[in-house]
Amino acid sequence: MTVSLPLVVVLGFFAWAAIKYLGVRIWIVVLITLFGFWLSRTFLAPAIESGTRTGVDVVNGPHD
């Protein structure tokens, strides 16, 4: 059985857990989110996207 979970849901869960259990302030999460949107509009976006896909592929393992 395969379960598909969007990366944004996983990151959202980690943000929620950081706010709830680690005491991270909401404004810090908002600032990091805005920084991510800014990075997506720069020349670094393709490298970030490629690295993210590679990381997800490593976690998922080989597909035979």
Side-chain angles (χ1 to χ4, degrees):
M1 182 170 122
T2 302
V3 177
S4 178
L5 209 59
L7 186 59
V8 71
V9 173
V10 174
L11 294 175
F13 172 75
F14 283 123
W16 171 81
I19 292 169
K20 180 99 172 144
Y21 298 110
L22 298 176
V24 175
R25 295 194 173 131
I26 292 178
W27 70 268
I28 294 173
V29 174
V30 170
L31 185 67
I32 291 170
T33 303
L34 291 174
F35 182 67
F37 279 110
W38 177 77
L39 273 178
S40 71
R41 307 294 267 166
T42 66
F43 69 95
L44 293 172
I48 293 169
E49 195 266 339
S50 173
T52 302
R53 285 196 186 275
T54 302
V56 169
D57 288 342
V58 167
V59 169
N60 286 335
H63 292 240
D64 292 307

